[in-house]
Amino acid sequence: VCFALRACRQFPGCGNIVTFSQFLFIAVEGFIFEANFGRKSPAIPVRYYLMMVAMFFTVSVVNNYALNLNISMPLHMIFRSGSLIASMALGIIILKKRYSFSKYTSIALVSLGIFTCTFMSAKQVASDSSLNEEDGFQVFLWWLLGIAALTFALLMSARMGIFQETLYKRFGKHSKEALFYNHALPLPGFLLLAPNIYQHAVLFSQSELFQVPVIGLTLPIMWFYLFMNVLTQYVCIRGVFILTTECTSLTVTLVVTLRKFVSLIFSILYFHNPFTAWHWLGTALVFLGTLMYTEVWNSLGPFLARCRKRPKEE
């Protein structure tokens, strides 16, 4: 995540070229190893993937564009960590699900954490002394638009998860196939973003030169950051895929949540983002609620009980 954060720090609007590079790399890898150069037919009809891709592409672009609307990277990451709220809300509305009291409590904690961080960030934006009253109000309106964009992306992402869940129930689980089509089918959509991608490609090429260790290759440092981000993102996505085949959903959710938390802490400490005690409280509530939702305490309880019994047995 540090490579993406570094790029976004220097070029705040470079999210599209970063996303395009990730999509292209995963699509090429999937076309070779999963689709067997197009000779392997998908287990799930392509029309369903097209619907999923429309939602997936929209979520990715909107999340990237939100960074151009005065949304800080820590707030962006915290807000996206609230996906449990949207998933539960849409699950109740669409799938008619009902949850236990602990689940509702966890969602309340996550909601309170996001509200705290959002409110404190709003105060920071509104109290920027370097802006006059008119400019400050305009910046604040753009910030509100960014919050609306994040909210829309959050709900759309949850809807996509429900849609994917129904597909897996009907056609069986094909995570690697879904990973390929979710990244290959949206590629033509990046033509709409071609001017922005080209603009940042030119800016990347004009960045300072950097000599890659070991191999001695010299290239613009932003292209090095982009390459490393694509590579690490690929490893991350493949790791999550392997994890889903080897571990329970509880473990996968816990690991992904901890990964988000580490990314958040890294972005704050390394890039010196403004983060008050209220932000820390909101962050703690978000991740405490997320862990409560995964019912990790039910797994730790029996483990701790066994640990307490061992000395007596000896």
Side-chain angles (χ1 to χ4, degrees):
V1 70
C2 63
F3 300 108
L5 292 174
R6 186 86 178 195
C8 290
R9 182 83 169 188
Q10 188 165 348
F11 299 99
C14 70
N16 289 327
I17 190 173
V18 172
T19 301
F20 170 71
S21 302
Q22 294 170 359
F23 275 50
L24 181 63
F25 183 85
I26 295 176
V28 171
E29 188 275 340
F31 181 74
I32 297 173
F33 297 103
E34 172 61 24
N36 193 18
F37 296 95
R39 292 192 291 266
K40 180 182 177 182
S41 300
I44 299 177
V46 176
R47 66 179 181 274
Y48 293 112
Y49 281 123
L50 287 172
M51 297 172 61
M52 191 187 307
V53 158
M55 293 184 281
F56 186 67
F57 183 78
T58 302
V59 169
S60 298
V61 172
V62 171
N63 275 325
N64 286 333
Y65 192 72
L67 293 173
N68 296 333
L69 300 173
N70 297 324
I71 299 296
S72 66
M73 183 62 74
L75 179 59
H76 190 278
M77 299 172 72
I78 292 171
F79 210 96
R80 294 180 66 180
S81 296
S83 57
L84 290 176
I85 304 172
S87 298
M88 174 173 278
L90 293 187
I92 294 173
I93 297 172
I94 298 175
L95 300 179
K96 310 299 181 183
K97 289 185 176 181
R98 293 297 179 266
Y99 300 93
S100 64
F101 177 76
S102 63
K103 289 290 194 297
Y104 290 115
T105 303
S106 67
I107 292 304
L109 288 174
V110 173
S111 301
L112 181 59
I114 291 179
F115 172 79
T116 301
C117 292
T118 303
F119 179 74
M120 296 308 298
S121 294
K123 288 182 63 177
Q124 287 180 354
V125 172
S127 62
D128 192 341
S129 59
S130 64
L131 301 171
N132 58 47
E133 183 176 351
E134 182 179 353
D135 290 340
F137 181 72
Q138 183 179 5
V139 168
F140 183 71
L141 288 180
W142 281 111
W143 179 86
L144 287 179
L145 183 59
I147 293 297
L150 287 177
T151 302
F152 171 79
L154 198 64
L155 293 173
M156 180 66 73
S157 178
R159 183 64 183 92
M160 181 181 66
I162 292 176
F163 180 69
Q164 188 171 0
E165 179 181 343
T166 58
L167 286 183
Y168 284 165
K169 288 182 179 179
R170 180 177 177 183
F171 298 101
K173 294 185 177 182
H174 303 279
S175 300
K176 194 172 183 179
E177 177 185 287
L179 178 65
F180 163 63
Y181 282 100
N182 281 341
H183 288 80
L185 294 177
L187 288 178
F190 282 99
L191 291 174
L192 301 174
L193 306 173
N196 180 269
I197 294 174
Y198 176 76
Q199 175 188 2
H200 283 90
V202 173
L203 292 175
F204 279 18
S205 298
Q206 295 173 351
S207 61
E208 62 178 297
L209 296 179
F210 173 77
Q211 187 175 30
V212 182
V214 182
I215 63 176
L217 177 67
T218 301
L219 74 165
I221 192 169
M222 294 308 299
W223 284 113
F224 172 74
Y225 287 150
L226 182 63
F227 173 77
M228 293 303 298
N229 179 73
V230 168
L231 188 62
T232 52
Q233 280 293 101
Y234 171 74
V235 173
C236 177
I237 294 174
R238 284 296 301 269
V240 171
F241 168 74
I242 295 173
L243 198 63
T244 57
T245 61
E246 300 292 335
C247 304
T248 64
S249 59
L250 170 63
T251 304
V252 175
T253 304
L254 180 60
V255 170
V256 172
T257 300
L258 292 176
R259 185 197 67 185
K260 290 179 180 179
F261 181 73
V262 171
S263 299
L264 175 63
I265 298 301
F266 185 88
S267 70
I268 294 168
L269 298 179
Y270 187 81
F271 295 112
H272 306 289
N273 288 312
F275 220 67
T276 66
W278 286 104
H279 285 92
W280 281 112
L281 176 62
T283 303
L285 291 174
V286 167
F287 288 99
L288 176 61
T290 303
L291 293 176
M292 183 181 293
Y293 182 87
T294 61
E295 298 181 350
V296 67
W297 322 116
N298 294 341
S299 299
L300 290 176
F303 173 75
L304 294 176
R306 289 195 299 269
C307 292
R308 287 193 295 266
K309 290 180 179 180
R310 285 176 184 174
K312 296 180 181 179
E313 293 175 356
E314 293 176 356

